[in-house]
Amino acid sequence: MSEVLHSPAEVKIWRHSKKGSVGFVPTMGALHAGHEELLRRARKENDFVVLSIFVNPTQFNDPTDLEKYPKTWEQDLEMAKRNGVDAILFPQYKDMYPDGYRYKVTENEYSKLLDGAHRPGHFDGVLSVVMKLFNIVSPTKAYFGEKDYQQMTLIQGMVQAFFMDLEVVPVPTVREKDGLAMSSRNTRLSKEQRALAPAIYKAITESASAEEAAAKLSSQGFAVDYVTDIGPRRFVAAKLGEVRLIDNVQI
Ligand code: PAF
C-alpha cells in the first residue's frame, strides 16, 4: 500500500515513525520506465521507499513548458504500487514554498554551463526544491537518472557542500529500443517528431566531434541549443517544435 501524504509535516511524522533506511525518488510525475528503474533500485537497496511527485514551478523558465508538462496521476499511482513504494509525497506549491521562494540555493560555476546557459534560473529552482525535499524526507539514499547528468552532478555537489547526510545514487539512462532517452516530455512529440527524435542519440554517439553532431541535427530540422563535450562526456539539448530534449553519453 502506498500512502499518499500531502504536507511536509505529515511526511516528517511518517519518517520519524520509521526505523531503517529510506530510499527516495524525487520526480515531477508523468512516470516512465526510467523512473521505474529508479524505484526498483530504491526498493532493492532500502527498507522503505518514498516517491515525491511535484511539478516544481521555480525550475521552469518557459511558462508554456510548465503549463504543458504532462500529468498522469492514476498511472503514476499504479507504478508506485507495483514497485512497493511506501509513501508518496504529493504537495502543493504553498506547502513547498512557505517563503514564497525568498530563499534559494545557487551554484555559481557548473550550473551556468550547458542547460544553465540556456535556462536562466533553472538549476536554482532544482537545487532549492531538492534541498527542501531532502530536509523533509531525510532519505538514506536518493536516486537520480543520468539522463539529467548535469542536474545529478549539481545535486551531488550540493550534498557535499552542505554536509548533508545522504548518498546520491546515479542510475544509468533508460532508452527506448531506438535509442531515444526516456523522458516525460517524449509524450508531447508528434508522430513525425517521435520518428525523428532518436537522431539525437545517434548523432552524439556516432559523430567524431560535437560540431559534427550539431551540424547533423540542424540539417535534420532540430533547433540545437548545444552539443558540448566536457571531459569524457558529450551533452546535447535540441528542440523539435516546442519540445526540448536533452541527452548525454560517455565518449
Ligand atoms: O528531474 C526531475 O524530475 C526534477 O528536476 C526534480 C529532481 C524532481 C526536481 O524537481
Side-chain angles (χ1 to χ4, degrees), residues 80-135:
K81 286 182 184 158
R82 193 163 72 231
N83 287 280
V85 169
D86 297 289
I88 304 174
L89 169 54
F90 187 54
Q92 304 214 332
Y93 179 81
K94 63 174 176 24
D95 300 316
M96 292 304 291
Y97 290 94
D99 61 326
Y101 201 35
R102 284 192 300 125
Y103 291 88
K104 61 175 77 163
V105 181
T106 301
E107 191 275 355
N108 280 311
E109 289 178 15
Y110 186 45
S111 76
K112 306 299 174 197
L113 310 175
L114 302 170
D115 251 33
H118 292 266
R119 303 185 67 187
H122 169 65
F123 286 117
D124 288 0
V126 170
L127 293 178
S128 302
V129 82
V130 171
M131 168 78 93
K132 286 167 186 272
L133 290 166
F134 284 174
N135 286 337

Side-chain angles (χ1 to χ4, degrees), residues 38 110 122-123 126-127 130 134 142-160 167-173 233 235 246 248:
L38 304 180
Y110 186 45
H122 169 65
F123 286 117
V126 170
L127 293 178
V130 171
F134 284 174
Y143 296 80
F144 291 89
E146 286 187 348
K147 208 248 338 179
D148 299 301
Y149 198 88
Q150 188 179 15
Q151 164 176 287
M152 187 274 295
T153 312
L154 283 164
I155 292 167
Q156 271 180 334
M158 177 180 80
V159 165
Q160 277 176 12
E167 186 190 336
V168 171
V169 182
V171 177
T173 305
R233 288 199 100 76
F235 297 85
I246 63 170
N248 70 88

Side-chain angles (χ1 to χ4, degrees), residues 162-174:
F162 290 94
F163 308 101
M164 299 175 81
D165 219 356
L166 70 127
E167 186 190 336
V168 171
V169 182
V171 177
T173 305
V174 179

